[in-house]
């Protein structure tokens, strides 16, 4: 819901002594959608970390270039 940001994120930024870095990182949610499944493959022993990173780099770079880089000015 639209109230989520003020109820959760703004509150955490104002009152939590060590807020989650994802609240401030531009594009965090998109990267989480890319990296999360790759990490699961590593944790489940389906891929090495190097294989997982190599697999997601094109998608992660494209996401960064399109969604994050423009926010950085």
């Amino acid at each position: 819901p639209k109230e989520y940001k003020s109820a959760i994120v703004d509150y955490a930024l104002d009152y939590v002594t060590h807020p989650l870095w994802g609240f401030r990182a531009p594009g965090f949610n998109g990267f989480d959608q890319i990296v999360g499944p790759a990490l699961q493959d590593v944790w489940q022993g389906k891929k090495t970390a190097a294989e997982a990173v190599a697999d997601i780099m094109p998608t992660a770079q494209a996401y960064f270039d399109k969604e994050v880089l423009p926010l950085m000015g």
Side-chain angles (χ1 to χ4, degrees), residues 16-34:
V16 175
T17 57
H18 299 288
L20 297 172
W21 67 271
F23 287 166
R24 295 183 191 256
F28 172 78
N29 289 334
F31 276 117
D32 189 45
Q33 296 298 312
I34 296 167

Side-chain angles (χ1 to χ4, degrees), residues 57-70:
M57 276 307 296
T59 304
Q61 187 65 57
Y63 178 81
F64 178 83
D65 292 344
K66 182 179 179 190
E67 303 292 337
V68 178
L69 194 57

